[in-house]
Amino acid sequence: NFVAALGRMHSYFTTYSQANSVRVAIITTDGYDSIDEMKRKELISLFTQAKIRLYVIGLGDGWKPGNTLDLQKFADELNKA
């Protein structure tokens, strides 16, 4: 589950790096996981406070032009915050 993976990622970065670090994660995904809107907002807040930048590389048919995927929305919203 992608939401659990994001939680573990946040925990790892905040545990094993200094608070003033620039933290970057790159994820490859088919994009088909979904993220509840409230959970997405919560994770964006946590990632923003922890200065975690997230980049998503899409693989497979889910990334065809015109598709709107939750994982891409999450990364876009996070990087705008």
Side-chain angles (χ1 to χ4, degrees):
N1 166 315
F2 191 70
V3 173
L6 289 172
R8 287 189 301 273
M9 183 186 307
H10 175 269
S11 178
Y12 177 85
F13 276 128
T14 56
T15 301
Y16 296 106
S17 63
Q18 295 179 3
N20 62 349
S21 297
V22 175
R23 300 160 173 151
V24 177
I26 300 171
I27 296 175
T28 58
T29 178
D30 64 4
Y32 285 110
D33 270 338
S34 62
I35 303 172
D36 175 75
E37 185 175 341
M38 293 303 295
K39 188 63 176 176
R40 186 169 65 234
K41 288 178 182 180
E42 177 187 330
L43 287 167
I44 287 170
S45 177
L46 289 172
F47 274 53
T48 301
Q49 290 172 11
K51 299 176 186 163
I52 299 170
R53 301 288 293 182
L54 177 65
Y55 299 94
V56 176
I57 298 173
L59 305 170
D61 289 341
W63 296 90
K64 290 181 180 175
N67 286 359
T68 305
L69 301 170
D70 279 356
L71 302 181
Q72 187 62 49
K73 281 189 232 176
F74 174 78
D76 290 345
E77 289 176 22
L78 173 62
N79 291 328
K80 286 179 187 176

